[in-house]
């Protein structure tokens, strides 16, 4: 929230009655509360319900703070000195509850009278099966004292330091109680279109802010919360939609308006297989998108093995036909090498130049490549991060493809954009499907293609979970597969913090596997992060060429590696992997027409989350479903690539728990963008100026 300069919301927090300089310092340090507005946005974590008075007999351990009403029937000082406590019994028609004080005993003693009626409020606990309230708030109902408190009392998040200084979650409520009456409608003007407010029956912003703190009823609180969550999710999506719409209308992009000889010749003569329907559809989407004169910025989601590489190749041919260079970036050397190999093989009989540039490209070769890129004789280049280094200059880069997107940051994609006067089209390909709900929030500024179809003839991978103790039978199974001419992977976990230990595990695993397969005709490859690129390459290649039957590897093998003859994967310590990672790994098998198997090996001690992950893996091969589950289990903060960007972190809303609100926000956003893409109608002007006044630099300059 950034209010008008004159607004009371900008007043420094120390000016609020009850704060002052000392507390202000603490509030700033501990909770980042600098102004009245910040305090207004410090939302309660819950409310204590003081509308309700519980019959004592109904109290149970699931309740937290409770209010009871009854007569004081007994009153007694127990213990000596330090262990002294005051104990009272309060009785209503249904039962008796114990009230206990360890401190301020004299003060309480003076005020309580046996035989009087009281309203008592406090945190419920049970001692030896009996309900009790320690240090409750207590008010007399007899002597015409203060009127009993009713309503919903907010409790705020606080910190240990603040609590030590008397500012606990409930004390903060005293401050908001001072603040709220000073805030007026004009401080929180409405910016949502009136028709939307009406259609969704949202309370006004002003009302929502007031009621989220001090609601009269639970319903008031809930509609305030709904409104504020909706607002967050809607604004986030509107920002993305505006970026997209601006790009569609105003960006300049190179024009790929002809499908020429290269594309056609390849398509007619060298295509190694019939394209899947999904591949055809996506190619068409890309062709339409790149012909318009605006910059394409597209996210291609395709499950593992859906054939994204072919889409990349055809798009690169399209670029070449229109006289432009293109590049394909991969996250690792192995992958870059593999892409280069398979693309050059497919392009063997074509008149087109393609090169490979990685960190380990030799100096002479490198210089040759750089000059060919600069003078335009090199039409296509495959590589790693090395491609976006400053020394790499293109003559006319028209297309940049990024494979396995989440390993590249936004900043790196921005670098790519700078490689050319007119920004190149960008195609981001990812095999870790992002749940739909998340995609439209985090990547709503990108156009979106999905490949939800696998090439024909694939059999779903059979996945099972086995305990360590079953290792001998697992090994027997692998042996049978190998005897039938298949190949197998053994995958070991890799956690950065303990590289050394992981390495030892891997070596031990290698010895173990070797012991199980002593036959002289069986060979084992090993690939891990500590090897030099060349070594990795050689070992990969030996496996790919079927010179070895078994691949023992860490997760470096994870992405994109393509050996269709491999039909078994054994994942060791499978409980240590996340869902998406397991899915990625598993995608290394099931690439040929043979039935494939994935065996998840674990110890006996499993957490509930780990068991849940294993269960999901055994139940489905659908990457999109797995991504949804992953989101549910881990939350958006842990999904790769979204952590740093923070795009999915909201103050109130959660894209997992508030999926229903997110969907409504998405519908409304879409409707609005269809009706008034420039937000120029009178009703939408306030929304537009709100969005413009708050556009974050990063958000609006984001390219992907
Ligand atoms: P991913 O989408 O995971 O990157 P790849 O592009 O590596 O998938 O393709 C996986 C495998 O499927 C490769 O061996 C590729 O040659 C093959 N493939 C791709 N498209 C088709 C198709 N339309 N028909 C048959 N096989 C295909
Ligand atoms: Mg791939």
């Amino acid at each position: 929230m950034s209010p008008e300069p004159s607004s009371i919301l900008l007043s420094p927090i120390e000016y609020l009655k009850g704060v002052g300089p000392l507390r202000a310092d603490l509030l700033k340090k501990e909770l980042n509360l600098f102004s009245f507005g910040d305090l207004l946005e410090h939302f309660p974590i819950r409310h204590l319900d003081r509308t309700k008075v519980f019959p004592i007999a109904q109290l149970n351990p699931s309740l937290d703070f409770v209010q009871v009403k009854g007569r004081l029937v007994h009153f007694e000082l127990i213990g000596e000195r330090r262990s002294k406590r005051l104990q009272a019994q309060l009785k209503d028609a249904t039962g008796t509850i114990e009230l206990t004080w360890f401190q301020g005993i004299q003060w309480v003693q003076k005020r309580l009278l046996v035989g009087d009626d009281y309203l008592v409020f406090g945190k419920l606990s049970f001692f030896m099966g009996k309900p009790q309230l320690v240090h409750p708030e207590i008010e007399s109902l007899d002597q015409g004292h203060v009127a009993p408190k009713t309503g919903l009392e907010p409790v705020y998040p606080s910190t240990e330091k603040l609590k030590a200084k008397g500012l606990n979650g409930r004390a903060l409520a005293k401050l908001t109680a001072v603040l709220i009456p000073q805030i007026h409608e004009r401080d929180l003007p409405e910016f949502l279109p009136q028709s939307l407010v009406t259609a969704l029956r949202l309370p006004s912003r002003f009302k929502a802010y007031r009621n989220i703190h001090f609601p009269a009823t639970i319903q008031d609180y809930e509609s305030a919360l709904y409104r504020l969550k909706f607002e967050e999710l809607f604004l986030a999506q509107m920002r993305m939609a505006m970026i997209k719409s601006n790009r569609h209308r105003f960006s300049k992009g190179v024009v790929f308006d002809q499908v020429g000889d290269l594309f056609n010749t390849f398509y007619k003569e060298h295509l190694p297989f019939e394209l899947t329907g999904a591949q055809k559809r996506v190619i068409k989407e890309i062709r339409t998108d790149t012909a318009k004169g605006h910059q394409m910025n597209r996210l291609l989601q395709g499950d593992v093995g859906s054939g994204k590489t072919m889409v990349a190749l055809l798009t690169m041919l399209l670029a070449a036909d229109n006289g432009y260079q293109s590049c394909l970036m991969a996250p690792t050397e192995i992958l870059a090498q593999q892409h280069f190999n398979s693309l050059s093989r497919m392009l063997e009989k074509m008149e087109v130049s393609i090169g490979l540039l990685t960190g380990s490209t030799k100096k002479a070769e490198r210089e040759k490549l750089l000059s060919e890129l600069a003078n335009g004789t090199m039409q296509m280049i495959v590589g790693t991060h090395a491609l976006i280094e400053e020394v790499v200059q293109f003559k006319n880069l028209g297309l940049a493809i990024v494979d396995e997107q989440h390993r590249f940051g936004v900043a790196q994609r921005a670098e790519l954009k700078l490689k050319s006067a007119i920004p190149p089209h960008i195609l981001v390909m990812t095999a870790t499907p992002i749940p739909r709900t998340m995609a439209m929030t985090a990547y709503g500024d990108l156009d979106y293609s999905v490949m939800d179809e696998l090439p024909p003839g694939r059999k779903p991978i059979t996945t099972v979970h086995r305990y360590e103790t079953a290792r001998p039978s697992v090994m027997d199974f692998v042996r049978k597969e190998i005897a039938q001419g298949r190949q197998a992977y053994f995958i070991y976990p890799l956690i950065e913090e303990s590289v050394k230990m992981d390495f030892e595990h891997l070596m031990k695993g290698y010895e173990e596997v070797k012991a199980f397969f002593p036959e002289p005709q069986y060979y084992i490859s090993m690939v891990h992060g500590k090897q030099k690129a060349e070594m990795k390459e050689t070992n990969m290649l030996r496996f790919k060429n079927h010179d070895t039957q078994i691949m023992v590897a860490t997760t470096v093998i994870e992405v994109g590696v393509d050996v269709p003859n491999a039909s078994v994967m054994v994942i060791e310590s499978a409980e240590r992997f996340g869902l998406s990672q397991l899915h990625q790994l598993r995608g290394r098998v099931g690439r040929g027409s043979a039935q494939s198997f994935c065996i998840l090996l674990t110890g006996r001690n499993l957490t509930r989350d780990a068991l849940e992950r294993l269960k999901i893996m055994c139940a489905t091969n659908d990457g999109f479903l797995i991504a949804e589950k992953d989101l549910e289990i881990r939350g958006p903060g842990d999904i790769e690539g979204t952590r740093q960007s923070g795009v999915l972190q909201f103050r109130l809303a959660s894209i997992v728990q508030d999926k229903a609100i997110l969907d409504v926000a998405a519908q409304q956003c879409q409707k609005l963008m269809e009706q008034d893409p420039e937000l120029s109608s009178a009703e939408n002007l306030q929304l537009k100026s709100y969005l413009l006044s708050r556009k974050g630099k990063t958000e609006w300059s984001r390219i992907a």
Side-chain angles (χ1 to χ4, degrees):
M1 182 162 56
S2 51
E4 306 300 316
S6 63
S7 167
I8 184 170
L9 297 178
L10 288 175
S11 304
I13 194 76
E14 48 265 50
Y15 296 161
L16 189 74
K17 196 166 152 271
V19 177
L22 283 179
R23 285 182 148 190
D25 263 3
L26 272 172
L27 290 171
K28 288 174 196 173
K29 278 203 198 95
E30 293 291 302
L31 296 172
N32 270 321
L33 304 181
F34 287 83
S35 65
F36 285 23
D38 293 338
L39 183 61
L40 185 68
E41 296 226 315
H42 190 60
F43 300 119
I45 26 173
R46 61 198 158 102
H47 287 84
L48 303 177
D49 188 354
R50 305 201 58 172
T51 58
K52 194 162 178 171
V53 176
F54 283 90
I56 291 171
Q58 280 182 22
L59 297 177
N60 66 67
S62 74
L63 297 166
D64 187 16
F65 279 84
V66 295
Q67 186 159 254
V68 291
K69 199 161 80 176
R71 181 156 297 171
L72 203 66
V73 291
H74 184 76
F75 202 0
E76 176 181 18
L77 205 54
I78 298 175
E80 294 278 316
R81 289 169 174 255
R82 281 175 172 261
S83 65
K84 207 159 63 175
R85 65 183 193 276
L86 183 64
Q87 212 145 52
Q89 310 250 308
L90 191 84
K91 189 173 183 330
D92 72 2
T94 69
T96 308
I97 186 170
E98 202 157 83
L99 314 177
T100 307
W101 286 267
F102 297 97
Q103 278 154 22
I105 293 176
Q106 287 190 347
W107 191 89
V108 181
Q109 249 174 332
K110 268 187 224 153
R111 275 162 186 76
L112 299 187
L113 263 181
V114 169
D116 270 7
D117 288 331
Y118 294 92
L119 183 71
V120 181
F121 177 80
K123 193 170 164 55
L124 180 66
S125 56
F126 278 80
F127 184 68
M128 313 258 284
K130 294 204 186 104
Q132 70 166 350
L133 299 173
V134 177
H135 287 185
E137 286 170 31
I138 179 156
E139 267 153 311
S140 171
L141 293 171
D142 274 346
Q143 303 151 352
H145 279 165
V146 251
K149 277 206 189 87
T150 52
L152 294 161
E153 187 191 309
V155 179
Y156 296 90
S158 184
T159 65
E160 288 311 316
K161 274 203 180 129
L162 282 172
K163 284 178 194 160
K165 299 280 176 188
L167 280 174
N168 65 13
R170 292 184 70 200
L172 286 170
K174 301 217 171 74
L175 301 183
T176 47
V178 174
L179 172 71
I180 299 292
Q182 298 182 51
I183 308 239
H184 302 283
E185 190 104 41
R186 62 171 184 276
D187 300 311
L188 295 163
E190 185 58 77
F191 56 69
L192 294 179
Q194 195 50 51
S195 58
L196 190 155
V197 172
T198 314
L200 297 181
R201 300 214 211 135
L202 302 175
S204 71
R205 277 185 86 213
F206 172 65
K207 224 168 144 183
Y209 271 105
R210 203 185 52 199
N211 284 348
I212 196 160
H213 293 282
F214 295 101
T217 64
I218 301 276
Q219 287 79 357
D220 280 353
Y221 171 74
E222 278 170 359
S223 54
L225 187 63
Y226 186 96
R227 146 92 210 203
L228 295 176
K229 284 179 173 178
F230 174 84
E231 188 179 306
E232 277 187 317
L233 296 169
F234 178 73
L235 289 176
Q237 296 190 28
M238 280 303 296
R239 285 199 184 98
M240 293 291 180
M242 295 283 280
I243 298 171
K244 180 149 108 180
S245 149
N246 282 338
R247 179 164 49 76
H248 285 171
R249 287 177 302 145
F250 306 123
S251 73
K252 254 193 156 31
V254 294
V255 183
F256 294 172
D257 57 356
Q258 47 190 325
V259 179
D261 283 349
L262 288 171
F263 189 101
N264 284 331
T265 310
F266 182 80
Y267 204 95
K268 283 187 203 124
E269 294 168 28
H270 305 301
L271 203 59
F273 36 66
E274 168 86 5
L275 295 187
T276 64
Q279 282 169 322
K280 284 184 195 160
R281 177 167 38 79
V282 171
I283 298 283
K284 207 161 156 193
E285 283 166 359
I286 291 171
R287 270 174 50 184
T288 319
D289 205 3
T290 51
K292 286 182 187 159
H294 297 306
Q295 190 214 1
M296 173 176 81
N297 218 327
R298 183 171 290 274
L299 180 66
L300 169 56
Q301 294 231 347
D303 209 343
V304 190
S306 57
K308 293 182 289 294
T309 317
M310 182 48 76
V311 171
L313 174 59
L314 287 168
T315 311
M316 291 170 94
L317 287 168
L318 187 65
D321 268 340
N322 286 275
Y324 288 95
Q325 293 169 293
S326 57
C327 68
L328 170 60
M329 271 209 290
T332 64
E333 294 228 12
I334 293 187
L335 269 187
Q337 180 76 51
Q338 179 181 288
H339 276 320
F340 175 72
N341 293 347
S342 64
L343 294 194
S344 11
R345 212 176 319 116
M346 288 194 273
L347 293 174
E348 226 163 38
K349 304 205 175 79
M350 305 270 305
E351 290 285 307
V352 61
S353 51
I354 181 163
L356 173 70
L357 181 66
T358 70
S360 55
T361 305
K362 295 270 155 24
K363 193 160 177 273
E365 171 68 11
R366 185 182 186 82
E367 265 154 23
K368 182 160 167 278
L369 271 174
L370 290 180
S371 81
E372 285 170 343
L373 286 173
N375 69 28
T377 45
M378 184 60 75
Q379 289 162 285
M380 299 175 178
I381 183 95
V382 179
T384 53
H385 288 68
L387 279 182
I388 54 176
E389 281 166 22
E390 233 174 80
V391 289
V392 183
Q393 295 295 334
F394 291 86
K395 177 155 181 273
N396 61 351
L397 182 66
L399 167 72
I401 302 180
V402 180
D403 194 17
E404 309 302 348
Q405 158 264 349
H406 54 251
R407 306 220 172 172
F408 280 99
V410 168
Q412 286 149 327
R413 273 174 256 143
E415 291 278 329
L416 260 181
K417 200 172 157 181
L418 298 175
K419 293 277 171 208
S420 178
I422 298 181
H425 296 302
I426 294 180
L427 178 66
V428 174
M429 307 197 296
T430 169
T432 308
I434 301 159
R436 177 97 208 149
T437 45
M438 191 151 133
M440 69 197 177
T441 315
Y443 303 101
D445 55 335
L446 303 183
D447 290 288
Y448 185 69
S449 292
V450 184
M451 298 218 294
D452 45 8
E453 185 186 348
L454 295 180
R458 299 271 173 85
K459 297 196 181 72
I461 302 160
T462 302
T463 303
V464 294
H465 170 210
R466 292 285 181 267
Y467 291 106
E468 271 298 331
T469 42
R471 186 180 293 275
S473 67
V474 169
M475 289 303 194
D476 281 346
F477 179 79
V478 175
R479 176 186 305 281
K480 267 191 220 137
E481 285 290 306
I482 292 178
Q484 285 171 33
R486 307 267 173 265
Q487 289 163 277
Y489 290 100
F490 285 82
I491 306 292
Y492 292 79
L494 180 91
I495 310 184
E496 271 164 48
E497 300 94 74
S498 59
V499 177
K500 190 164 164 281
M501 223 177 84
D502 285 324
F503 185 67
E504 282 165 10
H505 280 156
L506 180 75
M507 294 314 288
K508 217 179 112 225
Y510 175 78
E511 293 303 330
E512 219 168 51
V513 174
K514 221 164 89 176
F516 266 103
F517 294 94
E519 295 89 336
Q521 74 272 28
Y522 290 160
Y523 294 93
I524 304 175
S525 286
M526 180 162 66
V527 172
H528 58 81
K530 281 192 167 177
Q531 283 166 336
K532 288 228 160 59
E534 273 165 56
M535 189 66 172
K536 277 187 213 159
E537 200 46 51
T538 316
N539 285 329
M540 270 310 302
L541 221 59
R542 276 166 49 84
F543 187 63
K544 190 165 171 98
N545 296 338
H546 207 166
D547 296 335
T548 61
Q549 291 76 23
I550 297 171
M551 166 62 82
V552 171
T554 57
T555 46
V556 293
I557 218 82
E558 184 181 339
V559 231
V561 170
D562 189 29
V563 182
N565 188 50
S567 67
V568 196
M569 173 171 287
V570 178
I571 303 183
E572 304 269 354
S573 307
E575 73 274 17
R576 286 172 64 185
F577 296 85
L579 261 184
S580 300
Q581 207 179 13
L582 286 173
H583 180 64
Q584 275 289 325
L585 285 167
R586 179 171 62 179
R588 300 312 109 217
V589 294
R591 306 196 138 230
S593 52
Q595 173 64 53
S596 290
F597 302 89
C598 175
I599 302 162
L600 307 170
L601 271 181
T602 73
R604 285 273 167 188
N605 277 337
L606 297 176
T607 63
R608 201 145 45 103
D609 274 3
L611 263 176
E612 177 73 15
R613 288 197 295 272
L614 297 166
K615 214 172 94 197
I616 294 165
M617 285 302 293
C618 295
T620 183
N621 276 298
D622 181 342
F624 287 87
L625 192 73
I626 288 173
E628 292 281 353
K629 293 285 181 194
D630 203 16
L631 185 62
E632 275 167 31
I633 295 178
R634 294 197 298 167
D638 280 331
I639 302 294
E640 253 178 301
T642 62
R643 198 197 319 259
Q644 317 98 312
S645 62
V647 280
L648 296 170
Q649 305 303 331
F650 296 101
R651 303 197 63 137
L652 284 168
S654 140
I655 68 158
V656 180
Q657 268 124 48
D658 299 313
K659 193 165 169 295
I661 308 179
L662 185 65
D663 289 342
V664 176
Q667 278 162 21
Q668 293 296 334
C669 169
Q670 198 185 351
K671 196 165 126 199
L672 194 57
M673 290 308 289
E674 274 163 23
Q675 286 167 355
D676 185 11
E678 289 182 68
L679 301 184
S680 53
S681 80
E683 198 197 23
N684 298 330
L685 281 181
Q686 30 188 22
L687 175 60
K688 181 173 188 169
S689 64
Y690 189 87
L691 285 167
L692 286 172
S693 69
R694 276 126 192 118
K695 64 176 182 187
K697 226 178 158 179
T698 47
E699 284 167 353
W700 290 68
S701 59
R702 261 182 80 187
I703 59 149

